Amino acid sequence: MNELEENIIREHMYEEHRLRMEKVKKNLKTARVYNFYFNLLVSFVSVFGIYLWLCYTNAGIKLALTLDEEIGQIMFPWFAVTFFLTPPVTIMSYLADIYLNKKLTIACDILYLIILLFSVSNLFLRYEPMALMGMIFLIVYSGLGLWTQDLAVRSYKELDYLQTKEGFPDFNYGIERDKHSRFVKYREAWLKKQKKQDYFSDNEKPVTEFAIVPADKGVGMDGISIDTQTCSDWYEDNRDNEKVQSDNSDMEYFEADPSMLPDSSEYIIDDIRRKPL
């Protein structure tokens, strides 16, 4: 394969990975808009609704006690559910989007699932007095939340693959990376992990047994003393490895057949100074 073919294949892979990265960014943006911005709005609406609801029910109770009349059934509002669960979902979604944390995304999925199970079960069992439109809103709200969080989880799986490829995260063959986005930090964390795993070669071993020798003078530097037995073991292991490599790399010596060489008379010239005058 020549250099031109390698460049063509490389540019093709860059374009394929760039399209996949664009899809990942689009899915993460959709998850961010719904799980952070929309939930932030729902949180404010829930707090304001709870305040009005408590004021209204307290006023109704006081009025009923004054007139000695029955209050009647108090409806359980939908924002009483979102008041407790939406703020943590909003905070965790924001942190998950910044740090690309899959665990926080899964935790948000669990909270959405709790809301969905409560709404569906209450729709049939009616153990909490709630308006039909309120239960339908909670079902749609939690369903969309589960869908958007699923987009984020699948995007993390795609990032785990793309971060191992050359050009991440831009996948632009013509420019160099000159920014530090959250995707760049995602790849750098993976590179650090790989470096820790593949840091030592077969002939290298880390020396963990050492002692610090205090300096004789206050202005001097402390020294590091390594155990003699540890040094000798490491040296002998390396010598054994080098010996095995040298044994494998020895070449056989070839000896030429004398019959293949020309006659000595053809290339040996007598010294003319020894001939008689």
Side-chain angles (χ1 to χ4, degrees):
M1 183 181 299
N2 55 32
E3 184 177 357
L4 178 59
E5 293 176 346
E6 292 179 355
N7 290 335
I8 293 175
I9 295 176
R10 188 181 184 189
E11 291 181 5
H12 174 74
M13 296 303 298
Y14 264 64
E15 182 64 18
E16 179 182 348
H17 294 156
R18 186 187 65 81
L19 294 176
R20 295 175 68 170
M21 190 66 191
E22 289 296 329
K23 185 177 180 180
V24 168
K25 291 181 179 179
K26 182 179 179 181
N27 291 341
L28 290 178
K29 182 179 180 181
T30 302
R32 179 173 63 253
V33 169
Y34 184 84
N35 295 293
F36 176 66
Y37 294 109
F38 181 73
N39 277 344
L40 191 63
L41 177 62
V42 173
S43 299
F44 283 115
V45 173
S46 300
V47 171
F48 186 68
I50 285 291
Y51 173 76
L52 294 179
W53 182 68
L54 290 177
C55 291
Y56 174 77
T57 53
N58 286 338
I61 292 173
K62 290 179 181 179
L63 182 61
L65 292 176
T66 303
L67 300 178
D68 294 329
E69 296 178 356
E70 293 184 1
I71 302 174
Q73 189 180 40
I74 299 178
M75 299 298 293
F76 188 76
W78 62 267
F79 44 79
V81 178
T82 56
F83 174 79
F84 293 101
L85 298 181
T86 300
V89 170
T90 305
I91 296 174
M92 288 190 294
S93 298
Y94 176 74
L95 295 176
D97 183 70
I98 292 180
Y99 299 106
L100 299 175
N101 193 308
K102 188 184 299 184
K103 294 181 180 179
L104 293 177
T105 304
I106 296 175
C108 294
D109 258 340
I110 295 175
L111 293 180
Y112 278 125
L113 184 60
I114 293 174
I115 298 175
L116 180 62
L117 293 177
F118 168 78
S119 305
V120 174
S121 60
N122 192 46
L123 182 63
F124 295 98
L125 301 178
R126 304 305 297 267
Y127 48 81
E128 287 292 345
M130 182 181 294
L132 179 62
M133 293 303 299
M135 289 185 287
I136 293 177
F137 172 79
L138 289 179
I139 292 174
V140 175
Y141 167 77
S142 57
L144 290 175
L146 288 172
W147 174 66
T148 52
Q149 294 292 2
D150 180 67
L151 286 179
V153 172
R154 285 185 288 163
S155 299
Y156 295 146
K157 294 180 180 179
E158 190 74 358
L159 282 175
D160 291 338
Y161 167 76
L162 293 176
Q163 70 176 345
T164 63
K165 303 303 178 182
E166 180 185 4
F168 181 88
D170 296 324
F171 294 108
N172 192 324
Y173 185 72
I175 62 175
E176 295 291 338
R177 184 190 69 194
D178 57 352
K179 60 183 179 180
H180 298 280
S181 65
R182 65 185 190 276
F183 301 110
V184 175
K185 295 178 181 179
Y186 196 79
R187 176 176 171 80
E188 289 176 349
W190 175 79
L191 289 175
K192 290 180 180 179
K193 183 179 179 181
Q194 296 300 316
K195 184 177 180 181
K196 290 180 180 179
Q197 293 177 352
D198 304 331
Y199 184 78
F200 297 103
S201 63
D202 296 335
N203 296 333
E204 295 177 333
K205 292 183 180 179
V207 179
T208 57
E209 300 179 4
F210 59 90
I212 299 178
V213 182
D216 297 334
K217 299 180 180 180
V219 296
M221 295 180 62
D222 295 338
I224 298 178
S225 176
I226 303 175
D227 184 22
T228 306
Q229 183 63 30
T230 303
C231 292
S232 60
D233 293 342
W234 178 83
Y235 178 71
E236 293 297 332
D237 291 342
N238 281 344
R239 288 192 60 186
D240 294 339
N241 292 332
E242 292 177 357
K243 183 178 180 181
V244 171
Q245 294 179 359
S246 62
D247 293 340
N248 295 332
S249 60
D250 287 342
M251 297 180 63
E252 297 180 358
Y253 292 95
F254 295 93
E255 184 176 358
D257 187 4
S259 62
M260 301 297 295
L261 297 176
D263 189 10
S264 59
S265 60
E266 296 181 4
Y267 56 86
I268 298 178
I269 302 175
D270 295 332
D271 191 356
I272 58 174
R273 292 174 297 179
R274 296 182 179 178
K275 294 182 178 182
L277 296 177

